[in-house]
Amino acid sequence: MEVVSRDRRPASVALNRGPLQPVASPLAVAPASRRSDGWHGLLAVGDEHELVHLIVQLAREKLSLPAAAAILWSDDDGSAAFAADGFEPQQTRILLRREWRQQDLHDLCAGARLAGSVGYSDGRNPWWGLGPLVFITVRDDRANPIGLILVGNPATRRLPAPHTRVTLELLAHAAAGALLSIQQRRAEEARIRTVETQKRQLEALLEASAQVHGLNLDEVLQRIARTMTADGGFQRAAVYLRDDEDMLHARAFIGVPRHDMERIRAPVPFAVFAHLMRPEMQVSRSFIFDHRRHEVPSELLAALSIPEERGCAPGEWHPLDSLTIPLQGRDGQTIGLVSMDEPHDGRYPDLARVQVLELFAGACAVAVEQARLYDEVQRLAMTDPLTGLHNRRSFEGALRRELARVRRADSACSILFCDLDGLKQLNDAQGHDVGDRALQAVAQLLRARLREGDLSARLGGDEFVVMLPDTHAHEAVTVAEEIRALSAALGSPPLPPGVSISVSVGVAGTEGRHAVSPEELLSSADRALYSAKTAGRNQVDVA
């Protein structure tokens, strides 16, 4: 007995007569456990390749046919599973060379004599070159052709007798049922795998959501981006926060190229980003932007990081596509959003996957609100409420850390002790509102003049202090003189017409006393300030 097998590649053929022989392809012959099952074995085969072998075996052994072949087309990609036995060597070579397509069935039926799903071809079609054949169409429950059983060299050279046709049709019907069972089992296994994957993903995201609480805001946002990529199934993520002026600020990224980071850090109007969040794009509470249906506005393209263009098959994720998940606060307002792209599997996420990500995003929104509140409490605890500068407690802690660094690095640090001249008289003459505006004007002047890394604070009343890291006392005197001159030049606005102010400054540095304490340095600057005020105010003195 000869056996031919084929999946998507040619397989070797065993041409010797006798029992079924194995061939090179691992799917060439059904396993022994299947061969002895007979008709019942049709519903127990593992895949299409085992099934075509069993169909051929049944046709040869149960129906005593001289030769048989079976072709079944996959419902996934249209490829064919094929097996044959009993054909002459020349016929076998023809069968192996065929690239089986469903069009072959239509070609075979053309000019054949048909009786139901059984037909007879007298072999005059040179395209086949197989000689006379009896064939049976395998159809699904909607009468669509899904396979073909060939019976070679019929002795009568005509359609088989009615009882034989019935038996062949029963074989084709059983084959269709077996194929449906395989496909349903495969679909169920795929569904189970999907559910298990989603379960693992949900467990990972729930675990991660518990870990985002208790962190500061930057840590929370970075954890969100990292988790959305590591456990959410995407290669790239950016987390945006919405401010009171309706601007979006990108605060955390994963997978964004370095050359894109500075560009997307620029604030984006929420109304512009909303082009990716139109109602027709909504899936659950999220939005999938599909480049096939929509176009990204040019003003938004300039604010996004777009992956490099690549070839995408229909239905695959494109570099211009994106998934946007809003972060909603307790009042239902959007406080930020997570923008994601480049899914690992290259496919658009389904509803179940989106909802899993939304569940995590909901927990993250709570963590963002908590972190924001914590940061605000911390800021208020370390900030003077009138001027917005650091308060005494915050300044003393920063000065202590800076002096420790000075000792380690053998560097320098200077202090400016500033006093607003005549604040009490200004309050008495113009009212405390004017005095408060004068304090705020000096605070704004300090913020505008100082470098990044310098630190200014209001110690209370009319006293300000400035820390200048890596600055020697003689350099600090220059800064102090600029502050004094700028203060004296303040007019209307911000001050009322006719009101002017002046500032006296005391300067102290760490040169020659690396073991100086914060208290000692502040005391030295305070003594220099007292000297400046005693000398007539609106002056700078150095300790």
Side-chain angles (χ1 to χ4, degrees):
M1 183 181 294
E2 299 173 358
V3 179
V4 181
S5 177
R6 184 181 184 134
D7 48 21
R8 300 182 191 179
R9 300 174 300 275
S12 301
V13 183
L15 298 177
N16 52 308
R17 296 284 178 176
L20 291 172
Q21 300 292 324
V23 296
S25 170
L27 297 174
V29 180
S33 60
R34 305 292 188 211
R35 293 199 300 268
S36 61
D37 287 340
W39 293 93
H40 298 291
L42 286 170
L43 296 179
V45 293
D47 58 30
E48 294 91 340
H49 302 289
E50 288 188 25
L51 178 58
V52 291
H53 280 94
L54 188 53
I55 292 170
V56 170
Q57 179 184 346
L58 290 172
R60 295 274 282 131
E61 295 181 358
K62 302 299 183 182
L63 302 181
S64 301
L65 296 174
I71 307 105
L72 294 174
W73 286 281
S74 169
D75 63 342
D76 296 327
D77 55 11
S79 61
F82 170 75
D85 181 39
F87 288 92
E88 297 298 326
Q90 177 62 26
Q91 294 174 313
T92 297
R93 284 191 291 273
I94 294 173
L95 290 168
L96 279 175
R97 285 198 301 268
R98 296 291 313 144
E99 288 291 340
W100 297 105
R101 300 180 178 88
Q102 288 179 317
Q103 181 63 36
D104 295 335
L105 176 60
H106 300 291
D107 294 342
L108 185 61
C109 290
R113 295 199 299 275
L114 302 175
S117 58
V118 178
Y120 168 71
S121 173
D122 60 10
R124 287 179 293 181
N125 188 340
W127 187 82
W128 282 84
L130 294 174
L133 291 171
V134 171
F135 61 91
I136 310 96
T137 306
V138 182
R139 299 181 182 273
D140 62 15
D141 55 357
R142 287 178 289 188
N144 297 317
I146 57 175
L148 186 65
I149 301 174
L150 300 175
V151 179
N153 303 320
T156 60
R157 292 184 175 271
R158 63 177 181 271
L159 280 167
H163 68 277
T164 304
R165 294 203 302 268
V166 169
T167 305
L168 291 173
E169 288 178 332
L170 285 174
L171 177 60
H173 183 73
L179 181 59
L180 177 63
S181 176
I182 290 170
Q183 293 170 347
Q184 289 177 335
R185 183 165 62 247
R186 182 182 296 136
E188 180 63 16
E189 290 170 352
R191 188 190 70 81
I192 291 173
R193 287 195 299 272
T194 299
V195 170
E196 289 176 344
T197 299
Q198 292 175 343
K199 177 175 177 291
R200 289 193 298 270
Q201 184 184 55
L202 179 59
E203 289 172 347
L205 291 173
L206 288 175
E207 182 179 354
S209 68
Q211 296 173 353
V212 298
H213 296 273
L215 304 173
N216 65 43
L217 183 58
D218 287 334
E219 290 173 335
V220 167
L221 300 176
Q222 195 61 36
R223 182 70 62 87
I224 293 172
R226 187 163 57 247
T227 302
M228 283 295 195
T229 51
D231 299 318
F234 286 78
Q235 299 179 53
R236 295 157 58 98
V239 185
Y240 294 80
L241 288 187
R242 187 179 186 182
D243 66 15
D244 294 337
E245 298 178 353
D246 218 23
M247 301 291 287
L248 287 173
H249 301 260
R251 296 282 300 272
F253 326 92
I254 292 291
V256 175
R258 185 177 298 276
H259 62 268
D260 281 348
M261 286 186 178
E262 288 303 318
R263 180 165 54 84
I264 69 173
R265 279 195 176 101
V268 182
F270 183 79
V272 172
F273 204 99
H275 286 290
L276 303 181
M277 303 167 63
R278 295 200 290 270
E280 61 269 26
M281 305 175 187
Q282 189 163 2
V283 177
S284 187
R285 298 192 307 275
S286 301
F287 301 85
I288 294 180
F289 181 87
D290 186 341
H291 76 286
R292 298 170 298 180
R293 300 182 177 90
H294 311 285
E295 186 174 347
V296 184
S298 57
E299 58 183 333
L300 183 55
L301 272 175
L304 299 176
S305 173
I306 306 296
E308 293 184 4
E309 187 74 24
R310 54 177 172 76
C312 298
E316 288 186 349
W317 189 272
H318 187 274
L320 286 175
D321 298 332
S322 65
L323 169 64
T324 301
I325 305 177
L327 298 175
Q328 294 181 329
R330 292 182 178 88
D331 58 359
Q333 296 297 311
T334 299
I335 62 173
L337 52 89
V338 184
S339 178
M340 305 167 65
D341 58 41
E342 293 294 281
H344 289 294
D345 59 7
R347 298 181 179 275
Y348 293 93
D350 58 17
L351 176 62
R353 183 174 170 192
V354 169
Q355 289 176 333
V356 167
L357 295 173
E358 288 175 345
L359 184 63
F360 173 65
C364 291
V366 174
V368 168
E369 287 193 314
Q370 291 176 340
R372 271 182 158 176
L373 179 60
Y374 176 78
D375 283 2
E376 180 64 14
V377 170
Q378 290 292 99
R379 187 188 68 80
L380 292 175
M382 304 179 72
T383 304
D384 172 58
L386 177 63
T387 63
L389 300 180
H390 289 267
N391 59 21
R392 177 185 288 272
R393 177 183 178 186
S394 173
F395 181 84
E396 289 177 346
L399 180 58
R400 188 172 291 105
R401 292 190 294 273
E402 175 60 22
L403 293 182
R405 187 194 68 83
V406 166
R407 288 192 292 272
R408 292 193 303 271
D410 193 24
S411 59
C413 178
S414 293
I415 292 293
L416 308 183
F417 214 130
C418 309
D419 184 272
L420 189 59
D421 298 325
L423 180 63
K424 183 178 184 307
Q425 291 79 3
L426 183 61
N427 285 333
D428 292 343
Q430 300 284 337
H432 285 275
D433 178 62
V434 173
D436 288 348
R437 286 161 64 185
L439 291 168
Q440 290 169 339
V442 172
Q444 181 58 36
L445 183 154
L446 292 175
R447 277 192 289 265
R449 168 58 185 83
L450 298 179
R451 307 166 301 179
E452 183 178 358
D454 296 342
L455 190 146
S456 56
R458 182 187 178 204
L459 297 188
D462 55 3
E463 293 180 335
F464 296 86
V465 64
V466 176
M467 180 178 72
L468 303 173
D470 299 314
T471 305
H472 294 282
H474 68 277
E475 298 169 316
V477 169
T478 302
V479 178
E481 284 288 358
E482 290 183 20
I483 292 172
R484 183 200 61 77
L486 291 170
S487 300
L490 285 172
S492 174
L495 300 177
V499 174
S500 61
I501 59 175
S502 64
V503 170
S504 298
V505 186
V507 180
T510 58
E511 291 94 333
R513 42 181 189 167
H514 296 296
V516 66
S517 67
E519 295 76 16
E520 291 171 334
L521 192 60
L522 284 170
S523 179
S524 296
D526 190 25
R527 288 194 298 271
L529 171 64
Y530 181 78
S531 298
K533 294 181 78 69
T534 302
R537 301 181 180 180
N538 194 21
Q539 296 188 28
V540 174
D541 203 342
V542 61

